[in-house]
Amino acid sequence: MKKVLTRTALATVLAFSAGTAFATVKVGFMLPYSGTYAKLGEAIENGFKLYVQEQGGKLAGQEVQYFKVDDESNPSKGPENANRLIKRDQVDILIGTVHSGVAMALAKAANDSDTTLIIPNAGADAITGPLCSKNVFRSSFSNWQPGYAMGSVAAEQGHKTAVTISWNYAAGKESTDGFKESFEKAGGKVVKHLTLPFPNVEFQPLLTEIASIKPDAVYTFFAGGGAVKFTQDYAAAGLKDSIPLLAAGFLTDGTLEAQGASAQGLLTTLHYADGLDTPRDNAFRENYKKNFPQLPPDVYAVQGYDAAQMLDAGLKAVNGDVSKKDAMREAIRNARIDSPRGEFTLSKAGNPVQDMYLRKVEGDVNKVVKVAVEKLADPARGCKL
Ligand code: BEZ
């Protein structure tokens, strides 16, 4: 009897004879490529691809095939955009996103379809809190983490009162809540929380209110294009020299060239800093600059790079077979990631347990001052894993 091989069967036979059973892993980027967070999305994709390129273009012997969707940082389009990658493109792994509200929709779609998701930025506390699940991981932070670190620093510096100001969505609320928790535990008092809708940048009325309250310090969460406008307006309102501005490091990461003098001297807390001067970080920065000479090697690039490292750890454990989901996820959860930020592990909830740095803006860098809190783990409140 004459045997006829289908194209798929033939590809499988060829792959086996070449020593690899699975030819490609399909990676779907759901990131903002437009709007106030566009540069953040670009840096994440760059970082991810840089790591893959350093491995010779493959992860665990698999070619990586990329798919992408611009989520516009728009939560209402989240389910539809996620399903483009899950149902239309049938990706094996989701990488996304930046905005916490969009990430909530993406995590739900990942859970519903049992797809592995690595979040390379969005810090929504709930995703590694009450909504934690075995298929979802972060290579970044929880919104609580940088805020909590800065609350301790503010109290250490002797500030007694603070006003917080942020966009009115999960990231702003949770970042300022983290600050309030440690600041008040150390005896400080948050006297007012000011907000405006995302991504508005009409800061003037709120800055007038800060000037009339005269707190010892201001703590803020803004990022991307909005962060640039905020530091410029804060300085123009004459507040920079009278009321210290403290922030989650997103305020000054990847934005310093545009912020110019308005950001000089600002203190922020984050899980990455310039000037770490470790062999691992120096090598990453050199290669990033070689490949993307116009862009700073910022925290977003690091988070993209580490998302690829996490996926690599998972794929290696299953010899590239993405269908072995449980074993792959187990390996990701137990991985030690040799990050440019410093080595980190993941909590049971899938969030990095990592050092939080205090940084100071000097020229075009966020210079490390010290480790503000060592190996800070998000409390993962409500996670039942
Ligand atoms: C967030 O929405 O979680 C987020 C966005 C930009 C920077 C940091 C956090």
Side-chain angles (χ1 to χ4, degrees):
M1 194 175 73
K2 206 167 149 191
K3 281 200 180 144
V4 180
L5 286 178
T6 63
R7 265 172 50 157
T8 321
L10 184 61
T12 307
V13 168
L14 289 174
F16 267 113
S17 58
T20 47
F22 319 93
T24 60
V25 54
K26 292 166 87 173
V27 169
F29 290 123
M30 180 158 141
L31 292 168
Y33 294 104
S34 57
T36 198
Y37 288 161
K39 283 205 159 72
L40 286 58
E42 184 190 349
I44 289 166
E45 182 180 332
N46 290 345
F48 191 100
K49 288 185 168 170
L50 184 69
Y51 178 79
V52 175
Q53 190 196 94
E54 287 175 357
Q55 312 313 304
K58 292 184 177 179
L59 295 182
Q62 309 299 295
E63 295 285 349
V64 182
Q65 192 182 359
Y66 296 109
F67 298 81
K68 59 200 250 186
V69 164
D70 176 8
D71 67 34
E72 304 167 42
S73 295
N74 185 340
S76 71
K77 293 188 184 170
E80 183 191 330
N81 283 329
N83 280 322
R84 285 203 177 121
L85 293 169
I86 295 168
K87 297 201 173 133
R88 183 193 64 190
D89 301 330
Q90 307 214 317
V91 299
D92 301 307
I93 309 291
L94 286 162
I95 304 293
T97 183
V98 167
H99 184 288
S100 277
V102 182
M104 294 289 281
L106 179 57
K108 181 171 185 323
N111 290 342
D112 291 350
S113 59
D114 195 26
T115 309
T116 300
L117 165 64
I118 303 177
I119 301 173
N121 186 69
D125 290 348
I127 294 177
T128 46
L131 304 178
C132 68
S133 58
K134 59 181 178 19
N135 55 309
V136 178
F137 308 90
R138 260 203 288 254
S139 63
S140 51
F141 58 93
S142 74
N143 289 324
W144 178 91
Q145 283 176 311
Y148 186 87
M150 187 47 100
S152 308
V153 171
E156 236 171 68
Q157 291 189 334
H159 299 308
K160 297 283 180 243
T161 59
V163 166
T164 56
I165 174 168
S166 66
W167 278 313
N168 191 9
Y169 81 101
K173 163 123 188 48
E174 293 165 357
S175 181
T176 53
D177 280 353
F179 173 85
K180 183 178 159 83
E181 185 178 325
S182 56
F183 186 55
E184 296 198 339
K185 203 154 65 180
K189 178 84 194 141
V190 172
V191 292
K192 184 99 190 180
H193 176 48
L194 300 168
T195 62
L196 73 170
F198 174 86
N200 286 8
V201 290
E202 300 309 317
F203 300 120
Q204 206 50 57
L206 304 178
L207 295 176
T208 305
E209 207 173 332
I210 289 172
S212 74
I213 297 172
K214 295 193 182 60
D216 293 346
V218 168
Y219 172 78
T220 189
F221 165 86
F222 291 108
V228 174
K229 175 82 164 38
F230 184 77
T231 61
Q232 288 169 344
D233 286 6
Y234 197 83
L239 294 172
K240 186 166 184 280
D241 297 327
S242 53
I243 306 177
L245 178 60
L246 310 172
F250 313 108
L251 187 74
T252 55
D253 230 78
T255 48
L256 287 175
E257 196 183 316
Q259 286 166 318
S262 70
Q264 290 307 304
L266 293 183
L267 290 175
T268 65
T269 41
L270 203 62
H271 48 287
Y272 188 55
D274 297 310
L276 294 178
D277 199 20
T278 60
R280 183 72 182 96
D281 190 42
N282 291 344
F284 162 77
R285 292 169 80 92
E286 195 183 313
N287 204 15
Y288 193 82
K289 280 186 188 151
K290 201 157 87 195
N291 282 273
F292 311 103
Q294 313 301 337
L295 300 173
D298 61 20
V299 69
Y300 309 106
V302 170
Q303 292 169 170
Y305 189 84
D306 291 342
Q309 294 211 65
M310 286 164 62
L311 176 57
D312 196 21
L315 286 172
K316 278 184 177 138
V318 294
N319 205 17
D321 183 353
V322 279
S323 72
K324 294 186 173 150
K325 291 182 183 181
D326 287 345
M328 182 178 75
R329 291 167 184 170
E330 181 76 4
I332 296 176
R333 204 165 298 273
N334 292 323
R336 268 184 183 276
I337 303 300
D338 185 16
S339 170
R341 77 188 83 171
E343 191 179 85
F344 71 85
T345 54
L346 294 176
S347 68
K348 240 176 128 183
N351 193 65
V353 177
Q354 56 194 341
D355 290 347
M356 301 301 299
Y357 300 103
L358 174 64
R359 310 111 47 89
K360 183 174 186 184
V361 177
E362 282 179 21
D364 60 356
V365 296
N366 287 285
K367 191 91 205 285
V368 62
V369 176
K370 64 171 185 174
V371 174
V373 188
E374 239 178 82
K375 301 213 179 326
L376 183 62
D378 178 88
R381 293 174 183 125
C383 174
K384 298 254 160 45
L385 277 182

